[in-house]
Amino acid sequence: MSGLSNKRIILGITGGIAAYKGAEIVRRLQDQGAEVRVVMTAAATEFIRPLTLQALSGYQVHTDLLDAEAEAAMGHIELARWADLLLIAPATANFISTMVHGGADSLLSAVYLATSAKIAVAPAMNQAMWSHTASQQNIQALKGRETIIIEPDTGIQACGDIGPGRLQQPEIIVDQLKAIFESGLLAGKKVVITAGPTREAIDPVRYISNHSSGKMGYALAAALTEAGAKVVLISGPVLLDSPAGCELISVVSADAMLNASVAAVKDANIFISAAAVADYRAVDVADQKIKKQADNLSLELKKNPDIVSTIATDNPQLFVVGFAAETENIETFARDKLVRKKLHAIIANDVSRQDIGFNADDNEVSWIDAQSCKHLGKKSKSQLARDIVKLIAANYDG
Ligand code: PMT
């Protein structure tokens, strides 16, 4: 059975240059077993003819809210009820704004308001328009309504600009839709996940830390929520917004992360340790800013508690997954941590590379457990997070 088997999908196409990619999206959705009906805005029909999409989808393309004939065949309310999912791709800045404000001046916006289907939006616009505060606020507003945003691709745009805003590639759009329907994999499970760095104070203005951005842990928290889990995200200091639907607990030091983790796992099923916890902290934290005096300054450090190891040892009922940040002998060192820290699985990444690992948008990892080692190729942290969630669900038998 394919990932979108028997799923009824409305593809809403709005008026941007990327509208022509609607044809390929229809094909790829059908390849996955979906039944697709197309709704276009008037502006979209300037970029691609409805006839093309009618021939591909096998159904009349809906364009007009006031078309008596079309309404008699399948009216907008019926269409809205028919769908399991409404995908708007490409979604222009203008249409996204209409969605946010609840306008119903086109068939597509009326269907959006009338449907209880899952909603996915794949924005496409000029990079400056995408970066504008108004667009970003609109995107946040949609995320707050549990809309799935398929982040735009980055590259050369039709206008010659370079940056984020290109319609995401059709195969990635389809992969993300498949993930939506795989949700429920962890329904009813409580997952606690740590993310980001910790900061260990030296004095009131200085600290020891590392380059973790939190992107990997936050992507996992989002994918776990998508999979139906109740997620508690315990995060060190990062610049990211909390994924919708998660409970966020913000901490600074390893000690605070340990305390928050101990409290949160009491009634949890799964614990994931994606945080880059500082291994050492200062023995004495100065009350006042340390003055620059001698040419050399020694700092005495002591080991921080090992959070994932403590949680795994004290909670044998939990399914515990760690990460291994390695620069050499990756599988051997990760396997050693798997055993030493009493984990069910460990996800190893090569943090010597600039294009993956710390603070990168992509990652490439290996899932290692007692029986196997599975290599997951380089992809965005969001996509990888969905693959990891599937592996967790397949291996957790609680
Ligand atoms: O945040 P990003 O910029 O997206 O980067 C992602 C990442 C590289 C931080 C992430 O993919 C990752 O590898 N996280 C684990 C980093 C790490 O501390 O690895 P480690 O090999 O040093 O530790 C092994 C495991 O023990 C980890 O699960 C870690 O969370 C845990 N640990 C380590 C030390 C400690 N005192 N307590 C712990 O719980």
Side-chain angles (χ1 to χ4, degrees), residues 315-343:
N315 301 274
Q317 79 290 355
L318 273 181
F319 186 82
V320 182
V321 180
F323 271 74
E326 308 295 347
T327 54
E328 57 177 339
N329 300 327
I330 293 175
E331 190 182 336
T332 312
F333 288 166
R335 220 168 248 297
D336 173 60
K337 286 177 184 165
L338 173 82
V339 176
R340 207 162 20 90
K341 299 191 185 218
K342 299 189 176 66
L343 311 178

Side-chain angles (χ1 to χ4, degrees), residues 8-11 83-87 117-120 177 180-181:
R8 296 163 156 188
I9 298 180
I10 296 178
L11 171 61
D84 296 312
L85 179 128
L86 169 61
L87 164 67
K118 296 171 195 291
I119 311 286
L177 299 187
I180 295 170
F181 288 106

Side-chain angles (χ1 to χ4, degrees), residues 193 218 232-236 242 247-251 256-257 260-261 263-264:
I193 176 164
Y218 276 54
V232 178
L233 171 60
I234 301 172
S235 175
S242 175
E247 180 190 342
L248 175 70
I249 301 176
S250 297
V251 296
M257 188 173 271
S261 302

Side-chain angles (χ1 to χ4, degrees), residues 194-197 210-218 238 254 257 271-280 304-309 321-326 337 341 343 346-349 351 356-360 363 365 381:
T194 65
N210 57 65
H211 293 295
S212 171
S213 62
K215 288 177 189 170
M216 189 69 245
Y218 276 54
V238 297
M257 188 173 271
F271 180 71
I272 305 172
S273 187
V277 184
D279 286 323
Y280 290 89
N304 263 330
D306 193 304
I307 300 172
V308 73
S309 175
V321 180
F323 271 74
E326 308 295 347
K337 286 177 184 165
K341 299 191 185 218
L343 311 178
I346 194 155
I347 296 159
N349 44 192
V351 291
I356 60 167
F358 281 109
N359 201 15
N363 210 353
V365 304
K381 285 181 176 169

Side-chain angles (χ1 to χ4, degrees), residues 19-56:
Y20 76 93
K21 291 190 184 162
E24 195 187 341
I25 296 174
V26 171
R27 270 279 182 257
R28 289 199 179 250
L29 291 172
Q30 288 171 329
D31 289 346
Q32 292 296 322
E35 191 181 338
V36 186
R37 290 174 185 257
V38 178
V39 176
M40 299 173 76
T41 62
T45 65
E46 301 288 332
F47 291 94
I48 179 168
R49 287 176 62 82
L51 198 55
T52 308
L53 294 150
Q54 182 170 314
L56 288 172

Side-chain angles (χ1 to χ4, degrees), residues 10-172:
I10 296 178
L11 171 61
I13 304 179
T14 69
I17 183 67
Y20 76 93
K21 291 190 184 162
E24 195 187 341
I25 296 174
V26 171
R27 270 279 182 257
R28 289 199 179 250
L29 291 172
Q30 288 171 329
D31 289 346
Q32 292 296 322
E35 191 181 338
V36 186
R37 290 174 185 257
V38 178
V39 176
M40 299 173 76
T41 62
T45 65
E46 301 288 332
F47 291 94
I48 179 168
R49 287 176 62 82
L51 198 55
T52 308
L53 294 150
Q54 182 170 314
L56 288 172
S57 68
Y59 293 102
Q60 182 187 358
V61 171
H62 303 258
T63 52
D64 196 349
L65 187 56
L66 304 174
D67 180 343
E69 207 178 305
E71 281 288 297
M74 196 185 223
H76 65 284
I77 298 295
E78 223 176 324
L79 255 181
R81 287 193 188 131
W82 171 85
D84 296 312
L85 179 128
L86 169 61
L87 164 67
I88 300 172
T92 58
N94 185 51
F95 194 80
I96 289 170
S97 168
T98 304
M99 291 173 78
V100 170
H101 294 101
D105 58 350
S106 68
L107 176 63
L108 186 55
S109 49
V111 169
Y112 167 64
L113 287 182
T115 192
S116 58
K118 296 171 195 291
I119 311 286
V121 171
M125 63 194 77
N126 164 269
Q127 54 83 24
M129 291 170 72
W130 170 250
S131 304
H132 196 282
T133 310
S135 302
Q136 289 305 312
Q137 285 176 348
N138 283 341
I139 291 293
Q140 288 309 322
L142 290 183
K143 282 184 179 170
R145 292 180 203 164
E146 299 194 355
T147 306
I148 291 106
I149 304 294
I150 301 173
E151 296 289 326
D153 202 2
T154 297
I156 299 182
Q157 304 198 295
C159 55
D161 278 8
I162 298 176
R166 291 190 340 177
L167 181 67
Q168 192 47 270
Q169 296 161 41
E171 65 268 26
I172 293 180

